[in-house]
Amino acid sequence: MTGIANVRELLTRNVRTSGIYIAFVAIIALFAILTDGKLLSPNNLTNIVLQYSYILVLAVGMVIVIIGGHIDLSVGSVVAVSGAVAATLMIKQDQPWWVGVLAAIGVGIAVGAWQGFWVAFVGIPAFITTLAGMLLFRGVTWEVLDNTSLSPVPGEFSRIATGFQNGLLGGNGYDVFSLVIFAVAVAGYIVMEIRKRRAAIAYKQTVAATPLFITKLVVVAAVVMWFSWQLANYRGLPNVLIILAVLVIAYSVITTRTVFGRHVYAIGGNLTAATLSGVKVKWVNFGIMLNMGMLAGVAGVLFSARSNGAQPGAGNMFELDAIAASFIGGAAVTGGVGRVTGAIVGGLIMAIMTNGMQLLGYDQSVQYIVKGLVLLLAVAFDVWNKRRAGAR
């Protein structure tokens, strides 16, 4: 018979996931109060999306790397070198903007293949390989740019990260298109949750009580549509949000519904068992690093487009932000555990804290201290959760 779970059971069944969302809501509420509502203003919400989009893209790839039991310290340098190649082609060689986009992503794929070879087929740990890559590709960036900045990039390229979809369906003081897109997304989410609940009931699994389930759908729909209203009343739907949404949906499917995704979890959870089960560990590890390189190339496009050029120091510390987002979002230090949506929430937690402290006028030193403590607490929470589960 199907079990019915109450609120307490839902929160304690997976304390890692529930803790992330509770913390996310609490942090938003705290900074909204401290900033007198400025945090949630349409202008600031749009700024958060634009300013941290490339970190969220990196977090999508990084959480897959961590689930597989690896780490990638080179993504900041890959962002820099991919942006440098794109800017050089567009500015110095007068190539069209789309050539710059393809070149940046191509550089990311090439770097991912290079590092995947050393990790998967030579057997060098990803930590060492990507540490070497961090230094190697930072040096390549300086060589490509001749240690100088390049700007400006073509307007079409810049609008990838700074442009908006506004006015496509009209609207009197607000953008109808943004509201329609978010409404469709909410409808899709509701349908997916209903199907998931019916499948759980069919397999006699524990599900939330009907009032709780309906409340969850209503709250999520209300929050999402409120967010869309804020965007619609400012400049519309940012292009980077569309790109990010496509990536999140695609990688959520890849990690949960494909053979590759299941193999990544298997390798990170128990490498020996995965090998004995016939998983092609080398090729999966190669794919993990290749995918991370590609997404670093995408992030390089977004960053150089937003900064209107390329700089030798671009991407500095990006790898640490992406790693922090993954761990705060529920990824396990030992691998085998994590979700793409969790990494996005972890990245948004970092973004909200940074933006909130900036609005409050805190020094950068304080921001680093707070982010460091949050990361430490997130990992400590993961360790405590494992001990708690093992004691049962």
Side-chain angles (χ1 to χ4, degrees), residues 290-302:
L290 182 71
N291 177 72
M292 184 70 257
M294 183 190 70
L295 289 178
V298 174
V301 171
L302 296 180

Side-chain angles (χ1 to χ4, degrees), residues 21 43 83 85 90 110 150 161 163 167 182 200 206 225 250 275 277 291 332 369 390:
Y21 292 105
N43 180 27
V85 170
M90 293 183 293
L150 279 181
F182 277 92
T206 301
M225 292 311 298
T275 303
S277 298
N291 177 72
I369 291 171

Side-chain angles (χ1 to χ4, degrees), residues 193-322:
E193 288 296 307
I194 291 175
R195 291 180 61 184
K196 189 186 300 182
R197 178 181 170 85
R198 287 177 177 173
I201 292 174
Y203 285 101
K204 302 187 183 305
Q205 298 175 349
T206 301
V207 297
T210 301
L212 291 177
F213 178 71
I214 295 174
T215 301
K216 169 190 170 183
L217 296 182
V218 171
V219 170
V220 170
V223 170
V224 171
M225 292 311 298
W226 171 85
F227 178 69
S228 70
W229 179 253
Q230 297 296 94
L231 295 181
N233 276 275
Y234 183 52
R235 299 178 64 184
L237 189 63
N239 292 335
V240 292
L241 189 58
I242 298 174
I243 295 171
L244 187 61
V246 170
L247 290 176
V248 170
I249 293 172
Y251 280 95
S252 294
V253 173
I254 289 171
T255 54
T256 59
R257 307 250 178 131
T258 67
V259 173
F260 174 77
R262 290 193 291 270
H263 286 178
V264 171
Y265 279 98
I267 291 172
N270 191 321
L271 177 59
T272 302
T275 303
L276 294 175
S277 298
V279 175
K280 296 179 179 179
V281 175
K282 291 183 178 180
W283 283 106
V284 173
N285 284 333
F286 181 81
I288 290 171
M289 303 308 295
L290 182 71
N291 177 72
M292 184 70 257
M294 183 190 70
L295 289 178
V298 174
V301 171
L302 296 180
F303 183 76
S304 56
R306 176 165 170 77
S307 58
N308 197 30
Q311 305 86 31
N316 186 35
M317 299 288 286
F318 281 13
E319 57 277 347
L320 300 185
D321 286 335

Side-chain angles (χ1 to χ4, degrees), residues 21 42 49 63 102 119 149 163 172 214 226 272-273 317 357 377 381 384 391:
Y21 292 105
V49 172
V63 74
L102 293 178
V119 171
S149 298
N172 185 17
I214 295 174
W226 171 85
T272 302
M317 299 288 286
M357 287 187 287
L377 291 173
F381 180 74
W384 170 81

Side-chain angles (χ1 to χ4, degrees), residues 4-251:
I4 302 298
N6 57 29
V7 176
R8 183 176 179 180
E9 290 174 320
L10 289 174
L11 292 177
T12 57
R13 188 191 307 163
N14 191 339
V15 67
R16 177 188 281 112
T17 302
S18 59
I20 295 166
Y21 292 105
I22 293 172
F24 183 47
V25 172
I27 289 171
I28 291 177
L30 174 64
F31 281 106
I33 294 171
L34 293 177
T35 60
D36 295 326
K38 292 180 182 178
L39 179 78
L40 300 179
S41 66
N43 180 27
N44 193 60
L45 287 175
T46 301
N47 181 58
I48 291 174
V49 172
L50 297 179
Q51 188 172 353
Y52 298 97
S53 58
Y54 33 87
I55 298 298
L56 297 178
V57 170
L58 291 175
V60 171
M62 188 63 72
V63 74
I64 296 175
V65 172
I66 293 172
I67 291 170
H70 305 293
I71 204 74
D72 193 333
L73 301 177
S74 68
V75 293
S77 296
V78 180
V79 167
V81 72
S82 59
V85 170
T88 300
L89 288 172
M90 293 183 293
I91 297 172
K92 287 189 173 182
Q93 300 185 18
D94 200 28
Q95 295 295 317
W97 67 272
W98 55 269
V99 172
V101 172
L102 293 178
I105 297 175
V107 168
I109 292 173
V111 170
W114 164 264
Q115 299 193 135
F117 167 76
W118 293 103
V119 171
F121 300 111
V122 179
I124 299 177
F127 179 87
I128 301 300
T129 299
T130 58
L131 178 60
M134 178 176 68
L135 302 174
L136 171 63
F137 298 116
R138 182 62 63 182
V140 172
T141 302
W142 289 345
E143 287 293 326
V144 171
L145 294 177
D146 197 21
N147 208 21
T148 60
S149 298
L150 279 181
S151 64
V153 295
E156 297 90 345
F157 186 84
S158 179
R159 281 192 288 274
I160 295 174
T162 61
F164 294 81
Q165 298 301 317
N166 195 336
L168 297 179
L169 298 178
N172 185 17
Y174 56 90
D175 180 41
V176 173
F177 178 74
S178 299
L179 298 177
V180 170
I181 291 297
F182 277 92
V184 171
V186 168
Y189 169 77
I190 292 174
V191 170
M192 182 179 67
E193 288 296 307
I194 291 175
R195 291 180 61 184
K196 189 186 300 182
R197 178 181 170 85
R198 287 177 177 173
I201 292 174
Y203 285 101
K204 302 187 183 305
Q205 298 175 349
T206 301
V207 297
T210 301
L212 291 177
F213 178 71
I214 295 174
T215 301
K216 169 190 170 183
L217 296 182
V218 171
V219 170
V220 170
V223 170
V224 171
M225 292 311 298
W226 171 85
F227 178 69
S228 70
W229 179 253
Q230 297 296 94
L231 295 181
N233 276 275
Y234 183 52
R235 299 178 64 184
L237 189 63
N239 292 335
V240 292
L241 189 58
I242 298 174
I243 295 171
L244 187 61
V246 170
L247 290 176
V248 170
I249 293 172
Y251 280 95

